[in-house]
Amino acid sequence: MSTDLCAANSSEFQVSEFVLLGFPGIHEFQHWLSLPLTLLYMVALGANLLVFITIYREPSLHQPMYKFLGMLASVDIGLATTSIPKILAILWFDDKAISLPQCFAQIYAIHSFMFMESGIFLCMAVDRYVAICYPLQYPSIVTEPFVIKATVSMLLRNGLLTIPVPVLAAHRQYCSRNEIDHCLCSNLGVISLACDDITVNRFYQLALCWLVVGSDMILVFASYALIIRSVLRLNSTEAISKALSTCSSHLILILFYYTALIVVSVTHLARRKVPLIPVLLNMLHIIIPPSLNPMIYALRTQELRLGFQKVFGLSEYVSRK
């Protein structure tokens, strides 16, 4: 009898929307963050679109490494676009309300794109490992079917394994609170508002992160450990420098991505004492990599810079000079 009454009350008071309060502790002047966020978002969109178009239009860049880079640019655009427009709407127009379906969809999109980025880093690490450690077998191993299979497997893995995250969140009862002290729908922030038990949600979130990102990170660093060991066996200093330069850009991005992810995870434990820090770092982890990735590749990859010149028609002008 009491159980039925509780269920009825939960159904009666089920909230219809969530309210994203923004950045905790600085609500009064958080609108000042809209300018740097807008600039970073425009850089992320423009730079990644440029990388994608250049790789698509330039035949010399139709190689596995650059195809993975084009996929990374697409994922970065998706990751930034799932979150930043809503954050800017909160900062500009005080549009804090978000419906439950939209919130759960954002949870799914953020998890999928972040896991996809980790998966692409793994594919790129494998590509560099084969290219440096087995250069003669590289054309027969890293082929067009290999790239397609790797891409499809990453899409299926991340798409399917992420589905339970918003589904489990949607099955919770939200019968009292609906204010999220965050600028986006984070899974842990949403389920903390639930009236019923969220043990399964927390366990799956933790298991998914360790299974996907944890395994990717271990395999990526294992690949680079083997690469470094193979490179150090070379007798020529010039050969060592050339081998390391081919994967230096990728290694910089990997170190930044996984270091930032670990920092976000650790600071989340201190959220009760300093709630602004994990929220701010979480948001920056969504917008900084999409802005940073194309810049690092553009600055450190000569083939990509030449591709930019051809796309803009500057190659003829440079050759005349």
Side-chain angles (χ1 to χ4, degrees):
M1 180 72 177
S2 60
T3 303
D4 296 337
L5 181 60
C6 181
N9 288 337
S10 297
S11 176
E12 181 181 354
F13 294 107
Q14 175 82 357
V15 299
S16 59
E17 64 180 16
F18 292 121
V19 178
L20 297 171
L21 298 179
F23 298 92
I26 58 169
H27 295 152
E28 296 79 8
F29 48 90
Q30 63 182 1
H31 59 276
W32 290 106
L33 294 174
S34 61
L35 180 58
L37 277 180
T38 303
L39 293 176
L40 286 172
Y41 183 53
M42 297 304 295
V43 168
L45 286 183
N48 283 290
L49 278 173
L50 177 59
V51 169
F52 183 84
I53 293 171
T54 301
I55 293 173
Y56 176 79
R57 293 186 57 182
E58 181 54 40
S60 63
L61 298 178
H62 292 176
Q63 303 173 27
M65 183 178 70
Y66 295 109
K67 289 181 180 179
F68 287 130
L69 181 57
M71 296 175 200
L72 181 63
S74 302
V75 170
D76 282 340
I77 292 173
L79 178 61
T81 303
T82 56
S83 307
I84 301 304
K86 180 59 182 177
I87 296 176
L88 293 179
I90 295 172
L91 300 179
W92 285 342
F93 311 112
D94 204 33
D95 183 17
K96 299 179 179 180
I98 183 170
S99 67
L100 269 64
Q102 289 176 334
C103 189
F104 299 139
Q106 189 181 67
I107 290 175
Y108 176 79
I110 291 173
H111 279 76
S112 296
F113 283 124
M114 291 192 71
F115 292 158
M116 188 66 189
E117 187 162 2
S118 177
I120 293 174
F121 282 143
L122 175 59
C123 292
M124 296 172 77
V126 172
D127 173 81
R128 291 300 85 199
Y129 166 72
V130 177
I132 293 175
C133 298
Y134 303 96
L136 298 179
Q137 291 87 354
Y138 179 80
S140 60
I141 295 175
V142 185
T143 59
E144 185 73 20
F146 174 86
V147 175
I148 295 174
K149 291 177 182 178
T151 304
V152 171
S153 63
M154 288 297 107
L155 287 171
L156 290 177
R157 183 197 71 170
N158 301 321
L160 295 177
L161 290 179
T162 306
I163 290 176
V165 176
V167 170
L168 288 171
H171 278 76
R172 300 279 69 84
Q173 293 292 332
Y174 303 95
C175 53
S176 56
R177 298 173 299 157
N178 71 334
E179 293 185 342
I180 304 173
D181 210 8
H182 207 303
C183 54
L184 51 85
C185 285
S186 68
N187 182 48
L188 295 178
V190 170
I191 63 176
S192 65
L193 302 178
C195 304
D196 49 353
D197 185 50
I198 59 172
T199 303
V200 175
N201 301 66
R202 290 182 179 274
F203 175 79
Y204 190 83
Q205 172 88 17
L206 180 64
L208 184 63
C209 289
W210 277 107
L211 176 65
V212 176
V213 179
S215 61
D216 286 349
M217 183 170 60
I218 292 172
L219 292 173
V220 165
F221 285 113
S223 299
Y224 271 95
L226 294 173
I227 289 173
I228 293 173
R229 187 185 70 173
S230 178
V231 168
L232 292 179
R233 290 179 177 177
L234 299 175
N235 297 325
S236 171
T237 304
E238 183 180 353
I240 293 175
S241 176
K242 183 177 180 180
L244 292 177
S245 66
T246 60
C247 55
S248 59
S249 302
H250 181 212
L251 187 57
I252 291 172
L253 297 183
I254 285 174
L255 290 174
F256 178 82
Y257 177 83
Y258 287 115
T259 301
L261 199 61
I262 292 172
V263 171
V264 169
S265 301
V266 171
T267 53
H268 184 79
L269 300 176
R271 181 169 183 174
R272 292 184 178 180
K273 294 183 179 180
V274 190
L276 174 63
I277 293 178
V279 173
L280 189 60
L281 288 176
N282 195 5
M283 184 270 298
L284 290 176
H285 190 250
I286 288 175
I287 188 59
I288 294 295
S291 307
L292 189 67
N293 292 348
M295 292 185 181
I296 290 179
Y297 269 101
L299 291 174
R300 300 185 63 87
T301 309
Q302 183 179 2
E303 293 83 358
L304 197 57
R305 291 199 301 269
L306 293 175
F308 291 155
Q309 293 176 6
K310 291 181 180 180
V311 168
F312 286 106
L314 298 176
S315 55
E316 295 181 2
Y317 174 77
V318 172
S319 61
R320 290 174 186 173
K321 296 285 282 187

